[in-house]
Amino acid sequence: MTAGATGVGSLPGADAREAAKTATGSFEDFPYLPELPARGPGADMIGRSLGLLVDLYAHVEPSGWRVSDRPGRDTRRARSWLGEDLDALEEFTQGYTGRLKVQAVGPWTLASALELHGGEAVLQDAGACRDLAASLAEGLRGHLADVRKRVPGAEIVLQYDEPSLTAVLRGRVRSASGYRTYRAVDRQVVESALRDLFSVHDGEVVVHSCAPDVPFALLRRAGAAAVSFDFSLLTEREDDAIGEAVEGGMKLFAGVVPGTDGPLSDPGGSVMGVRKLWRRLGLAPGTLAESVVVTPSCGLAGASPAYARAVQAHCVRAARSLADNPE
């Protein structure tokens, strides 16, 4: 993977063709399959991934997504929207060769968000967590095969969205009542489930989290090739883990451009923090371009369409600045 820029996943609006045009036009060297949560339940991050599951179904309750016994309207809607998005992506990637990123919610964030019949999260039931992860793995195999068929020249990069991962590891996911939290899941159990899911894809796997305290070391051990994170949440406490990860060959998808409307600094200024991190870690500036991919800090669903387009163009310019002036 060489220097570059890409998006995180979500975009504002509800027009699949417009979103695909933006994602492929902004990132000519590293496009991604956009998500459009504004369309409603089933187009959201969780619902979209639940639509991928095999022999496991979910529907929307007032409290969120809940396990169903059979596929219903919500599952059909999620699958239909994903199909629409893939059709649009296929249209705008005719003849494309190179990296292409697709996103799915990882097993632990999914287990934190999906409710069992009784209303508690799947997270509280170890057996249900295993079933959910196995169903997701099966669904992703089919999804990746479909993407390969539609964009045969693509080198697919699979991104797992795991914003709840740190909360799962620290026992901070709230129960249905909100009065207690679920017990922390053992780190080895978490790592093992991730390793199994990462092996679904024989290409590069990225894990995205825009929460603080991303577990870099655990993700590296589980086999992630890259971690995507909100750079502004990084603290010097994480320096050692990041230094070891980079030296071990891990890439950083650095979210350096704000995901919601606001003034944009000059592209060089946006990656100043990355250069400073490299100096602090004592890493060779020449390795910056091959180790870092520039992204927005998180998805762009909450941004205006004009800002979303501007941010993506800005990421490309910032990546170029990083490659041209690593010092």
Side-chain angles (χ1 to χ4, degrees), residues 11 15-27 32 34 88-89 91-92 309 312:
L11 285 174
D15 183 332
R17 287 188 76 256
E18 186 56 40
K21 188 177 171 186
T22 299
T24 55
S26 301
F27 301 112
Y32 64 98
L89 182 76
E91 180 186 342
F92 288 101
R309 284 192 296 273
Q312 300 197 120

Side-chain angles (χ1 to χ4, degrees), residues 123-148:
L123 188 65
Q124 77 159 23
D125 181 325
C129 284
R130 284 193 294 274
D131 291 346
L132 178 62
S135 173
L136 179 62
E138 198 52 42
L140 276 169
R141 283 189 192 98
H143 178 49
L144 291 167
D146 187 19
V147 176
R148 277 189 204 99

Side-chain angles (χ1 to χ4, degrees), residues 33-209:
L33 174 64
E35 298 161 5
L36 298 172
R39 291 182 296 199
D44 60 301
M45 181 175 97
I46 299 295
R48 186 183 184 89
S49 293
L50 292 174
L52 292 171
L53 299 179
V54 173
D55 297 333
L56 216 165
Y57 313 104
H59 65 277
V60 179
E61 292 273 333
S63 55
W65 287 90
R66 187 170 292 184
V67 169
S68 301
D69 297 322
R70 61 186 69 84
R73 188 183 59 198
D74 296 326
T75 299
R76 286 193 295 274
R77 192 189 292 137
R79 290 176 178 172
S80 164
W81 272 327
L82 177 59
E84 212 176 279
D85 294 339
L86 286 165
D87 288 345
L89 182 76
E90 186 177 357
E91 180 186 342
F92 288 101
T93 50
Q94 293 294 309
Y96 175 73
T97 57
R99 290 173 295 164
L100 169 68
K101 185 164 69 67
V102 298
Q103 305 82 221
V105 175
W108 296 108
T109 297
L110 216 49
S112 304
L114 179 62
E115 299 171 355
L116 295 163
H117 290 294
E120 292 297 343
V122 165
L123 188 65
Q124 77 159 23
D125 181 325
C129 284
R130 284 193 294 274
D131 291 346
L132 178 62
S135 173
L136 179 62
E138 198 52 42
L140 276 169
R141 283 189 192 98
H143 178 49
L144 291 167
D146 187 19
V147 176
R148 277 189 204 99
K149 203 164 65 202
R150 290 167 177 270
V151 196
E155 187 186 308
I156 299 172
V157 176
L158 174 59
Q159 174 180 304
Y160 285 103
D161 293 318
E162 278 284 17
S164 301
L165 185 58
T166 303
V168 167
L169 290 164
R170 296 189 179 177
R172 290 183 184 160
V173 178
R174 295 215 159 274
S175 66
S177 67
Y179 292 124
R180 63 183 181 88
T181 53
Y182 297 115
R183 189 182 300 139
V185 181
D186 180 88
R187 295 182 84 83
Q188 283 175 313
V189 171
V190 169
E191 192 179 314
S192 168
L194 290 173
R195 187 177 293 112
D196 288 349
L197 271 189
F198 294 172
S199 70
V200 161
H201 181 46
D202 56 9
E204 261 169 308
V205 171
V206 184
V207 177
H208 170 72
S209 170

